[in-house]
Amino acid sequence: MEFKKIIDNKFIFFDGAMGTMLQQAGLPIGDLPESYNILHPEIVYDIHKKYIDAGADIITTNTFGANTLKLKNSSYDVEQIIRNAVSIAKKAACEKLVALDIGPIGQLLEPIGTLSFDESYEVFKEQVTVGAASGADLILIETLSDLYEAKAAILAAKENCNLPVFCTLTFQQNGRTLTGTDPLTMVHVLEGLGVDALGVNCSLGPKEIRPLVDKITNYASVPVMIQPNAGLPRSKNGETVFDLTPEEFSREIRTMAQSGVSIIGGCCGTNPDFIKATKAAFKSLSPVKITPQKLTTACSSTKTIIIGQEPKIIGERINPTGKKKLKAALKENDLDYVLSEAIRQKEAGAHILDVNIGLPELNEKEIMIKVIKEIQGIIDIPLQIDSPNGDVIEAGVRIYNGKPMINSVNGKIESMKTILPIAKKYGACVIGLTLDEKGIPNTAEERVKIAGKIIDTAVSYGIPKENILIDCLVLTASAQQKEVMETLKAIQLVKEKYGVKTVLGVSNVSFGLPQRKLLNRTFLAMALAFGLDAPITDPLLESNMEAFHTFNVLSNHDEGSEKYIATYKNDNQKEISPNIEIHKNLKQIIIDGIKSDASKKTKELLTAMDPLEIVNTYLIPALDFVGDQYEKEELFLPQLIRSAETVKASFEVIQSYLLKNGKGSLSNGKIILATVQGDIHDIGKNIVKVLLENYGFYVVDLGKDVPIQTVVEKAKEHNIKLIGLSALMTTTVKNMEETIKALRENHIDCKIFVGGAVLTKSYADMIGADFYAKDARESVAIAQKILTK
């Protein structure tokens, strides 16, 4: 049966949990679930058949962890596992569809982790290639907590097969993924990449995911899919159980159908009874047609900027034209200078940053990739990829973690042939310049005509109008004075005729005239009054920002003048010279995440300060500040880790100094960290390790899938007073409980904290832990409480 035949105006039912069923069939805790495709195909077949009999329209292969990295220590390979899994599922499915199940790789991508985007792509490519060749009907990418990893997986699927692609992320109770992605951002990035359905699965029960689903269905224009857990886990008679019955589960799911959900299944704790009950509850229902909001957006991995509701500033300073220091920094590969420019623009009020690093003597493609990777690791606002070279634009857009803007395409046929396919493939916004083979027209009407050609051509490529912005182009008042007003008229006409958003590089107007900032400020205000949505300008020039903020008050965009008052209430604003570098202390360097500056500044401070004084005055306060911002959801995991890594650079200088001067080392105490036996996921543990080490604790990292006796022995060996245990799978929480029990029985005098996506505070209490760490930041607080005097 073809996918298109079952999705039209019907509910689609997936199956439920595979791991839960395999354990009930005898899979020992800690054994590889995918091994049953080889060892016990009849058991896997029977599970598939039960879900088919329960009413599933699509069953998923037993391949959740079938990737090279997860299988490398086993006796199985990816091709062997996937071919068998698809074959078993196809036999059980009869006329129903089979989805190739692809779960997370199990390692964090750069900059949070060490796995590169290209490496993750290759891992997913292997799975997709084998699965498609084996006969899978569609690809299901599920339970991912990192938007960047999802992008790699989707591209691998779209570029290596012609099958439909579904993608669901897993969210925490704060409404964001582990790496900080919110539902709005997820929708705009995944839809842009061309998924056929998107949604949420795992981690939470149906009650907990409903607020997320309401947001997703408000924006999604593709079918929305949910696969929640069977409620929240708890311990009962020594076993992990979930708190919802099939009937309770189905009632909760039914309510979400009213929001527009049309694809339904189950995750951890569900079984065929849940699917049967849910399908029965839907007998009298028809899918609700989604009428999503059409928004023009640019996204980082954690923040979506909506263009058109009120003006947005696009920072122009990462462009070497006329900037000697930036040119020198790029030639010398001094990316910290570039990062400093990015940070300063964000702090000054930029909403999006233009990134243009073109110099004839540089490898622009190579540098663009480096710069994007570094910038997206330290700031959370979206980027605009700017280059006249199509290869450079595609390289930048591909490696970007989010939905970028492309600057730019123009009305020349060759330009549109080169740039528009890139914008379509990656779901980027694209700026259209109103020029063609004849150059820039003098009149507004002629520019509007070119804008129409660009818009019509872009739409023919499948690019939605909301992803098209038009730049009506500014000419210099010094040379073409009468054309200045033509630009403003063109803005108004484009918006009236085509309903698209507009962009403009306002500073070009003053070229060749004295006191350029006066002209820029006035022209910016005029352009905003004519309907300009996103000026490209220098946010470090206070005169520009004064015009911007005052316009927003007078045009009623800044309701209650809140932003204006917050900016100017102290009446002490000073013009910031773009050519003056701001001197930062070590605390601010750590907050900003500039590693090399941290090393230099620490060496400088050591000439006059005691190492411990540096730690207490700068390092710990900086980490505390970043941690507080993280808890307030003003910063997210990438920035938290970046700051921690910056502290590490400072600590390395201090430790080297201490050893050189025979003063020992700094340590607040030892902590054991381990992912419990049977669990091969160590993402959360590794994040906790980074933070603990950078707060001055010595971490004995026992790794993942750690035998219970090993934890006991290492605790005795190191005289440990604090142990952290991690589990990501519901099936391995039992081993966490057994590890705690063994530590108590062996009279290990220590405190134990636990964490992981499947845990809750009440669950931690039930299995005998002393503390529950909801995240890495909480782990630090626990360590400080127990070990720091």
Side-chain angles (χ1 to χ4, degrees), residues 78-162:
V78 171
E79 183 171 356
Q80 179 187 26
I81 289 287
I82 291 180
R83 284 195 180 280
N84 277 40
V86 174
S87 175
I88 296 166
K90 295 287 280 187
K91 288 176 184 176
C94 297
E95 295 299 313
K96 301 299 177 70
L97 298 182
V98 170
L100 176 69
D101 193 27
I102 296 179
I105 291 173
Q107 294 186 22
L108 284 169
L109 272 64
E110 297 172 333
I112 305 172
T114 58
L115 190 68
S116 75
F117 181 84
D118 290 337
E119 288 170 335
S120 66
Y121 173 90
E122 291 300 325
V123 171
F124 289 124
K125 177 182 176 181
E126 181 180 20
Q127 294 173 278
V128 167
T129 303
V130 175
S134 300
D137 300 300
L138 61 97
I139 308 294
L140 173 61
I141 301 161
E142 55 135 321
T143 322
L144 271 61
S145 57
D146 183 354
L147 186 68
Y148 208 24
E149 185 177 13
K151 179 175 182 176
I154 293 166
L155 287 175
K158 301 287 286 185
E159 293 176 351
N160 294 285
C161 75
N162 295 315

XYZ file of all heavy atoms in Angstrom, residues 78-162:
631
model
N 25.415 -3.194 10.715
C 24.203 -2.452 10.376
C 23.406 -3.156 9.284
O 22.180 -3.314 9.392
C 24.572 -1.016 9.937
C 23.351 -0.286 9.377
C 25.171 -0.235 11.097
N 24.070 -3.571 8.226
C 23.355 -4.192 7.115
C 22.639 -5.466 7.541
O 21.480 -5.695 7.192
C 24.321 -4.493 5.967
C 23.625 -5.080 4.745
C 24.542 -5.169 3.526
O 25.693 -4.707 3.611
O 24.084 -5.692 2.503
N 23.323 -6.280 8.320
C 22.752 -7.539 8.782
C 21.490 -7.297 9.619
O 20.445 -7.924 9.405
C 23.807 -8.278 9.616
C 23.353 -9.613 10.194
C 24.405 -10.191 11.135
O 25.194 -9.449 11.723
N 24.423 -11.498 11.273
N 21.593 -6.375 10.558
C 20.469 -6.084 11.450
C 19.286 -5.517 10.670
O 18.142 -5.971 10.815
C 20.898 -5.075 12.543
C 21.852 -5.717 13.556
C 19.678 -4.489 13.253
C 21.203 -6.692 14.511
N 19.539 -4.522 9.830
C 18.447 -3.825 9.147
C 17.781 -4.706 8.102
O 16.542 -4.738 7.992
C 18.946 -2.504 8.532
C 19.293 -1.506 9.643
C 17.889 -1.903 7.598
C 19.805 -0.168 9.155
N 18.563 -5.458 7.334
C 17.963 -6.335 6.320
C 17.026 -7.356 6.971
O 15.914 -7.586 6.491
C 19.055 -7.046 5.524
C 19.747 -6.152 4.506
C 20.557 -6.960 3.502
N 21.225 -6.103 2.538
C 20.634 -5.579 1.481
N 19.353 -5.825 1.253
N 21.318 -4.798 0.643
N 17.481 -7.940 8.050
C 16.632 -8.916 8.739
C 15.386 -8.251 9.320
O 14.278 -8.790 9.256
C 17.417 -9.612 9.851
C 18.248 -10.761 9.333
O 18.839 -10.670 8.269
N 18.291 -11.862 10.074
N 15.581 -7.056 9.911
C 14.462 -6.358 10.544
C 13.379 -5.999 9.539
O 12.185 -6.196 9.799
C 14.975 -5.099 11.238
N 13.780 -5.471 8.386
C 12.804 -5.093 7.364
C 12.100 -6.334 6.825
O 10.875 -6.329 6.613
C 13.479 -4.307 6.224
C 12.477 -4.050 5.088
C 14.033 -2.980 6.738
N 12.854 -7.403 6.616
C 12.272 -8.647 6.101
C 11.207 -9.189 7.049
O 10.116 -9.583 6.629
C 13.380 -9.681 5.885
O 12.827 -10.923 5.489
N 11.514 -9.187 8.341
C 10.557 -9.685 9.339
C 9.303 -8.820 9.347
O 8.170 -9.317 9.347
C 11.201 -9.684 10.746
C 12.378 -10.663 10.799
C 10.172 -10.043 11.817
C 13.277 -10.485 12.023
N 9.504 -7.502 9.343
C 8.370 -6.583 9.395
C 7.499 -6.694 8.145
O 6.266 -6.652 8.225
C 8.866 -5.151 9.565
N 8.110 -6.853 6.979
C 7.352 -6.968 5.733
C 6.471 -8.230 5.735
O 5.330 -8.205 5.268
C 8.297 -6.989 4.536
C 9.088 -5.716 4.313
C 8.256 -4.583 3.773
C 8.032 -4.711 2.292
N 7.339 -3.500 1.741
N 7.024 -9.288 6.273
C 6.240 -10.535 6.327
C 5.041 -10.382 7.256
O 3.954 -10.884 6.983
C 7.130 -11.678 6.812
C 8.160 -12.128 5.792
C 9.068 -13.209 6.380
C 10.157 -13.594 5.379
N 11.124 -14.578 5.967
N 5.238 -9.672 8.364
C 4.152 -9.497 9.330
C 3.127 -8.482 8.846
O 1.940 -8.580 9.170
C 4.724 -9.068 10.671
N 3.570 -7.509 8.064
C 2.707 -6.382 7.704
C 1.639 -6.737 6.682
O 0.587 -6.100 6.640
C 3.561 -5.236 7.166
N 1.906 -7.733 5.854
C 0.998 -8.069 4.751
C 0.793 -6.836 3.875
O 1.710 -6.394 3.222
C -0.324 -8.613 5.296
S -0.136 -10.153 6.215
N -0.414 -6.249 3.888
C -0.697 -5.091 3.047
C -0.404 -3.762 3.755
O -0.582 -2.698 3.159
C -2.163 -5.110 2.590
C -2.522 -6.268 1.680
C -1.709 -6.231 0.384
O -1.619 -5.150 -0.222
O -1.169 -7.283 -0.009
N -0.013 -3.812 5.015
C 0.266 -2.591 5.756
C 1.697 -2.111 5.475
O 2.511 -2.824 4.880
C 0.066 -2.834 7.256
C -1.338 -3.298 7.626
C -2.388 -2.262 7.256
C -3.804 -2.727 7.548
N -4.091 -2.806 8.981
N 2.006 -0.903 5.927
C 3.298 -0.298 5.624
C 4.332 -0.579 6.702
O 3.999 -0.783 7.879
C 3.144 1.218 5.460
C 2.241 1.707 4.330
C 2.233 3.232 4.289
C 2.683 1.145 2.990
N 5.585 -0.535 6.278
C 6.724 -0.753 7.192
C 7.592 0.499 7.190
O 8.041 0.961 6.139
C 7.563 -1.973 6.758
C 8.859 -2.039 7.560
C 6.758 -3.257 6.931
N 7.816 1.024 8.385
C 8.673 2.209 8.546
C 10.029 1.782 9.083
O 10.113 1.051 10.072
C 8.033 3.205 9.510
N 11.081 2.236 8.417
C 12.433 2.009 8.930
C 12.629 2.917 10.140
O 12.595 4.139 10.028
C 13.480 2.327 7.863
C 14.931 2.203 8.328
C 15.292 0.739 8.582
C 15.891 2.820 7.327
N 12.820 2.321 11.302
C 12.939 3.080 12.547
C 14.383 3.512 12.760
O 15.291 2.682 12.830
C 12.467 2.219 13.722
C 12.270 3.026 14.983
O 11.993 4.228 14.879
O 12.401 2.445 16.080
N 14.612 4.827 12.871
C 15.947 5.367 13.093
C 15.928 6.232 14.351
O 15.231 7.252 14.397
C 16.419 6.206 11.885
C 16.540 5.327 10.647
C 17.741 6.892 12.190
C 16.972 6.080 9.395
N 16.666 5.816 15.361
C 16.753 6.570 16.598
C 18.015 7.419 16.645
O 18.772 7.481 15.669
N 18.255 8.091 17.757
C 19.447 8.939 17.871
C 20.729 8.128 17.826
O 20.753 6.952 18.207
C 19.269 9.623 19.230
C 18.353 8.720 19.990
C 17.445 8.104 18.980
N 21.786 8.766 17.366
C 23.077 8.090 17.252
C 23.619 7.691 18.620
O 24.250 6.657 18.775
C 24.085 9.000 16.513
C 23.680 9.135 15.047
C 25.502 8.453 16.613
C 24.499 10.145 14.261
N 23.368 8.533 19.612
C 23.873 8.241 20.951
C 25.052 9.095 21.356
O 25.600 8.940 22.448
N 25.474 10.003 20.468
C 26.551 10.937 20.788
C 26.108 12.348 20.439
O 25.335 12.558 19.505
C 27.825 10.593 20.010
C 28.454 9.260 20.389
C 29.795 9.056 19.695
O 30.445 10.016 19.277
N 30.212 7.808 19.576
N 26.612 13.314 21.184
C 26.277 14.705 20.927
C 27.098 15.257 19.769
O 28.281 14.974 19.643
C 26.526 15.549 22.176
C 25.481 15.421 23.281
C 25.990 16.090 24.552
C 24.154 16.030 22.868
N 26.441 16.070 18.958
C 27.137 16.708 17.847
C 27.852 17.969 18.305
O 27.519 18.559 19.328
C 26.140 17.073 16.735
C 25.865 15.991 15.678
C 25.202 14.782 16.297
C 24.990 16.562 14.558
N 28.844 18.379 17.515
C 29.528 19.640 17.774
C 28.515 20.791 17.720
O 27.549 20.720 16.962
C 30.607 19.887 16.711
C 31.707 18.872 16.697
C 32.635 19.075 15.497
O 32.167 19.619 14.459
O 33.797 18.684 15.586
N 28.646 21.849 18.517
C 29.781 22.121 19.407
C 29.604 21.570 20.814
O 30.495 21.692 21.644
C 29.794 23.653 19.443
C 28.356 24.023 19.348
C 27.740 23.012 18.414
N 28.422 20.962 21.107
C 28.203 20.426 22.451
C 29.050 19.187 22.663
O 29.648 18.986 23.709
C 26.719 20.094 22.672
C 25.859 21.318 22.392
C 26.476 19.608 24.086
C 24.370 21.027 22.410
N 29.088 18.325 21.643
C 29.863 17.094 21.718
C 31.015 17.103 20.734
O 31.466 18.152 20.288
N 31.475 15.903 20.370
C 32.645 15.783 19.496
C 32.311 15.235 18.113
O 33.151 15.263 17.218
C 33.691 14.854 20.147
O 33.097 13.565 20.384
C 34.182 15.430 21.463
N 31.088 14.744 17.926
C 30.710 14.166 16.637
C 30.385 15.285 15.658
O 29.587 16.170 15.942
C 29.493 13.257 16.813
C 29.107 12.383 15.611
C 30.157 11.318 15.365
C 27.742 11.735 15.838
N 31.006 15.242 14.484
C 30.762 16.294 13.500
C 29.442 16.043 12.774
O 28.929 14.931 12.733
C 31.901 16.360 12.481
O 31.819 15.281 11.561
N 28.919 17.105 12.178
C 27.691 17.007 11.398
C 27.868 16.017 10.249
O 26.998 15.175 10.000
C 27.315 18.389 10.860
C 26.046 18.409 10.052
C 24.809 18.508 10.672
C 26.091 18.330 8.665
C 23.634 18.531 9.924
C 24.923 18.355 7.911
C 23.697 18.455 8.536
N 28.991 16.087 9.556
C 29.233 15.197 8.420
C 29.348 13.737 8.860
O 28.882 12.827 8.161
C 30.502 15.614 7.678
C 30.330 16.940 6.937
O 29.177 17.306 6.622
O 31.343 17.614 6.690
N 29.964 13.502 10.021
C 30.064 12.132 10.538
C 28.683 11.577 10.871
O 28.381 10.406 10.583
C 30.957 12.103 11.772
C 32.438 12.298 11.466
C 33.272 12.498 12.717
O 32.719 12.960 13.747
O 34.473 12.205 12.683
N 27.844 12.398 11.475
C 26.500 11.927 11.815
C 25.697 11.652 10.542
O 24.935 10.685 10.481
C 25.784 12.946 12.698
O 25.536 14.151 12.001
N 25.885 12.493 9.542
C 25.209 12.277 8.261
C 25.568 10.895 7.702
O 24.689 10.152 7.222
C 25.601 13.376 7.273
C 25.089 13.161 5.863
C 23.850 13.664 5.471
C 25.844 12.453 4.919
C 23.371 13.458 4.180
C 25.370 12.249 3.635
C 24.139 12.752 3.269
O 23.673 12.550 1.991
N 26.835 10.536 7.735
C 27.275 9.249 7.189
C 26.678 8.075 7.956
O 26.343 7.037 7.364
C 28.800 9.169 7.200
C 29.473 10.110 6.216
C 29.084 9.851 4.764
O 28.878 8.668 4.410
O 28.960 10.824 3.992
N 26.536 8.232 9.268
C 25.911 7.176 10.078
C 24.473 6.959 9.622
O 24.026 5.823 9.395
C 25.959 7.546 11.579
C 25.110 6.562 12.398
C 27.389 7.528 12.092
N 23.725 8.039 9.484
C 22.329 7.928 9.052
C 22.222 7.451 7.600
O 21.315 6.691 7.264
C 21.629 9.282 9.206
C 21.385 9.675 10.637
C 21.880 10.881 11.118
C 20.666 8.862 11.488
C 21.654 11.266 12.437
C 20.431 9.234 12.810
C 20.932 10.438 13.284
N 23.145 7.899 6.770
C 23.116 7.499 5.358
C 23.189 5.976 5.233
O 22.463 5.379 4.412
C 24.286 8.147 4.615
C 24.400 7.731 3.152
C 25.613 8.388 2.492
C 25.792 7.902 1.064
N 26.985 8.520 0.424
N 24.046 5.358 6.001
C 24.177 3.903 5.935
C 22.859 3.228 6.295
O 22.409 2.288 5.623
C 25.284 3.427 6.870
C 25.500 1.921 6.840
C 26.602 1.450 7.776
O 26.951 2.208 8.723
O 27.114 0.329 7.585
N 22.217 3.705 7.348
C 20.947 3.110 7.759
C 19.884 3.270 6.677
O 19.155 2.324 6.349
C 20.457 3.773 9.054
C 21.333 3.505 10.267
C 20.886 4.329 11.460
O 21.235 5.500 11.584
N 20.104 3.732 12.340
N 19.781 4.471 6.134
C 18.768 4.765 5.121
C 18.991 3.926 3.866
O 18.042 3.335 3.310
C 18.791 6.270 4.765
C 17.976 6.537 3.504
C 18.275 7.101 5.925
N 20.228 3.856 3.416
C 20.542 3.132 2.184
C 20.174 1.659 2.298
O 19.539 1.087 1.402
C 22.040 3.280 1.852
O 22.362 4.663 1.739
C 22.371 2.586 0.545
N 20.548 1.051 3.404
C 20.237 -0.366 3.603
C 18.737 -0.570 3.765
O 18.146 -1.484 3.179
C 20.988 -0.920 4.830
C 20.567 -2.363 5.104
C 22.488 -0.843 4.630
N 18.102 0.303 4.561
C 16.668 0.153 4.807
C 15.840 0.302 3.551
O 14.894 -0.473 3.312
N 16.174 1.285 2.721
C 15.430 1.492 1.475
C 15.633 0.321 0.518
O 14.683 -0.152 -0.117
C 15.873 2.799 0.824
N 16.882 -0.151 0.416
C 17.175 -1.285 -0.466
C 16.495 -2.562 0.009
O 16.199 -3.455 -0.795
C 18.684 -1.498 -0.547
N 16.226 -2.644 1.308
C 15.606 -3.848 1.873
C 14.095 -3.858 1.725
O 13.445 -4.858 2.021
C 15.978 -3.974 3.356
O 17.382 -4.060 3.510
N 13.513 -2.714 1.325
C 12.076 -2.692 1.066
C 11.228 -1.900 2.029
O 9.992 -2.019 2.005
N 11.831 -1.079 2.881
C 11.036 -0.233 3.784
C 10.180 0.724 2.966
O 10.560 1.152 1.864
C 11.950 0.554 4.725
N 8.994 1.066 3.490
C 8.060 1.933 2.775
C 8.222 3.408 3.127
O 7.816 4.283 2.364
C 6.623 1.513 3.071
C 6.343 0.076 2.633
O 6.491 -0.204 1.431
O 6.008 -0.754 3.506
N 8.758 3.676 4.297
C 8.997 5.059 4.705
C 10.058 5.079 5.787
O 10.431 4.035 6.336
C 7.709 5.747 5.172
C 6.969 5.162 6.390
C 7.346 5.907 7.656
C 5.457 5.268 6.188
N 10.551 6.290 6.089
C 11.585 6.474 7.100
C 10.979 7.180 8.311
O 10.334 8.223 8.158
C 12.757 7.336 6.566
C 13.284 6.789 5.237
C 13.860 7.442 7.609
C 13.943 5.444 5.314
N 11.154 6.610 9.499
C 10.736 7.272 10.731
C 11.976 7.609 11.556
O 12.650 6.724 12.081
C 9.803 6.387 11.550
C 9.442 6.930 12.946
C 8.715 8.271 12.833
C 8.616 5.927 13.735
N 12.276 8.904 11.650
C 13.372 9.402 12.487
C 12.745 9.841 13.800
O 11.907 10.755 13.805
C 14.089 10.578 11.789
C 14.643 10.132 10.432
C 15.192 11.140 12.670
C 14.948 11.287 9.493
N 13.107 9.212 14.898
C 12.357 9.458 16.134
C 13.244 9.573 17.367
O 14.395 9.156 17.371
C 11.333 8.332 16.336
C 11.951 6.934 16.332
C 11.429 6.054 17.447
O 11.229 6.561 18.563
O 11.254 4.847 17.187
N 12.657 10.176 18.395
C 13.260 10.303 19.727
C 14.557 11.108 19.708
O 15.429 10.909 20.541
C 13.503 8.912 20.381
O 12.431 8.033 20.062
C 13.566 9.021 21.897
N 14.690 12.016 18.763
C 15.879 12.866 18.732
C 15.668 14.085 19.627
O 14.576 14.654 19.660
C 16.195 13.304 17.303
C 17.125 12.354 16.515
C 16.524 10.984 16.353
C 17.465 12.950 15.152
N 16.712 14.457 20.338
C 16.635 15.613 21.238
C 17.504 16.766 20.747
O 17.593 17.792 21.411
C 17.067 15.210 22.655
O 18.374 14.669 22.647
N 18.138 16.577 19.594
C 19.026 17.589 19.032
C 18.566 17.911 17.612
O 18.566 17.049 16.730
C 20.465 17.052 19.025
C 21.472 18.079 18.530
O 21.071 19.170 18.086
O 22.686 17.785 18.597
N 18.156 19.147 17.384
C 17.679 19.569 16.065
C 18.748 19.393 14.999
O 18.442 19.076 13.843
C 17.245 21.040 16.135
C 16.575 21.623 14.897
C 15.207 20.980 14.669
C 16.427 23.134 15.022
N 20.008 19.588 15.372
C 21.117 19.452 14.435
C 21.235 17.999 13.958
O 21.428 17.731 12.773
C 22.400 19.882 15.135
C 23.487 20.437 14.241
C 23.214 20.992 13.011
C 24.812 20.433 14.679
C 24.220 21.519 12.217
C 25.827 20.962 13.906
C 25.531 21.503 12.672
O 26.540 22.022 11.894
N 21.092 17.076 14.885
C 21.119 15.658 14.539
C 19.933 15.310 13.645
O 20.069 14.529 12.684
C 21.094 14.810 15.810
C 21.241 13.325 15.563
C 21.275 12.505 16.847
O 20.932 13.047 17.922
O 21.650 11.318 16.776
N 18.772 15.909 13.933
C 17.599 15.671 13.095
C 17.844 16.150 11.672
O 17.454 15.496 10.703
C 16.378 16.373 13.692
N 18.497 17.296 11.533
C 18.800 17.811 10.197
C 19.706 16.849 9.440
O 19.470 16.567 8.257
C 19.460 19.186 10.296
C 19.823 19.785 8.940
C 20.360 21.203 9.052
C 20.655 21.791 7.676
N 21.088 23.210 7.738
N 20.729 16.330 10.112
C 21.633 15.374 9.466
C 20.875 14.131 9.014
O 21.085 13.622 7.902
C 22.767 14.999 10.419
N 19.972 13.652 9.865
C 19.215 12.447 9.541
C 18.255 12.684 8.370
O 18.126 11.851 7.469
C 18.438 11.979 10.770
N 17.582 13.832 8.377
C 16.627 14.144 7.311
C 17.346 14.295 5.966
O 16.896 13.763 4.946
C 15.834 15.417 7.652
C 14.930 15.160 8.857
C 15.003 15.876 6.457
C 14.373 16.419 9.484
N 18.469 15.003 5.975
C 19.225 15.152 4.727
C 19.714 13.796 4.221
O 19.679 13.519 3.018
C 20.410 16.095 4.937
C 20.067 17.581 5.072
C 21.318 18.388 5.386
C 19.417 18.104 3.788
N 20.160 12.947 5.144
C 20.615 11.615 4.740
C 19.477 10.824 4.102
O 19.682 10.098 3.121
C 21.165 10.863 5.952
N 18.278 10.977 4.652
C 17.125 10.267 4.100
C 16.705 10.850 2.753
O 16.486 10.117 1.777
C 15.961 10.330 5.091
N 16.610 12.174 2.671
C 16.132 12.823 1.446
C 17.107 12.660 0.287
O 16.697 12.594 -0.870
C 15.895 14.315 1.703
C 14.888 14.629 2.808
C 13.465 14.356 2.416
C 12.931 15.380 1.465
N 11.487 15.192 1.172
N 18.402 12.603 0.596
C 19.411 12.530 -0.455
C 19.758 11.111 -0.880
O 20.434 10.920 -1.896
C 20.686 13.244 0.008
C 20.500 14.754 0.166
C 21.724 15.470 0.708
O 22.682 14.785 1.137
O 21.727 16.709 0.715
N 19.297 10.107 -0.138
C 19.705 8.735 -0.439
C 18.550 7.768 -0.646
O 18.764 6.567 -0.784
C 20.616 8.223 0.685
C 21.925 8.990 0.742
O 22.806 8.792 -0.076
N 22.040 9.884 1.716
N 17.312 8.293 -0.664
C 16.176 7.460 -1.016
C 15.017 8.365 -1.419
O 15.072 9.578 -1.236
C 15.761 6.535 0.139
S 14.887 7.364 1.490
N 13.980 7.768 -1.960
C 12.796 8.527 -2.386
C 11.592 8.242 -1.493
O 10.450 8.498 -1.885
C 12.450 8.186 -3.839
C 13.534 8.636 -4.805
O 14.033 9.756 -4.700
N 13.906 7.758 -5.727
